[in-house]
Amino acid sequence: SIYPLLCCEAHVNPMALKANHVRNTHNDADFGVEFYASIDILSLLFYLDCACQLTLFATEAIYNAFNISEPTNIKAYKQELDMLRKC
């Protein structure tokens, strides 16, 4: 499940705080704190991919639960997401 990972990033969690704000400055014994650390946009792709996948999965599950045929664009979105993952 992705939920624990998202919680780790979203809440005040020691692991997330260390990963996002503590930097090794010179050697293994010397650390610094970045209060306003820059964001690496590429690191967000994992979370965006998971959010897209979960949204498509949930939409598909809702349509199936109510025995409603899926709109054709859902399948197109799934194919597009799969294609983007291969890049």
Side-chain angles (χ1 to χ4, degrees):
S1 170
I2 183 107
Y3 184 74
L5 280 174
L6 294 176
C7 286
C8 183
E9 292 295 323
H11 302 292
V12 180
N13 180 294
M15 291 186 312
L17 287 172
K18 181 180 179 203
N20 295 328
H21 298 287
V22 176
R23 300 290 177 255
N24 187 336
T25 54
H26 297 297
N27 57 44
D28 290 338
D30 190 16
F31 293 93
V33 175
E34 293 181 0
F35 291 102
Y36 298 101
S38 61
I39 297 173
D40 177 20
I41 298 298
L42 292 177
S43 68
L44 297 177
L45 289 179
F46 170 76
Y47 299 105
L48 291 173
D49 177 65
C50 290
C52 290
Q53 182 68 29
L54 288 172
T55 301
L56 289 171
F57 177 77
T59 303
E60 188 176 41
I62 290 168
Y63 276 96
N64 289 337
F66 290 103
N67 293 320
I68 301 170
S69 61
E70 291 180 21
T72 55
N73 62 348
I74 297 293
K75 291 179 183 172
Y77 289 142
K78 288 170 75 174
Q79 290 173 347
E80 186 177 354
L81 185 60
D82 287 340
M83 184 184 71
L84 289 171
R85 285 184 178 139
K86 294 176 183 176
C87 294

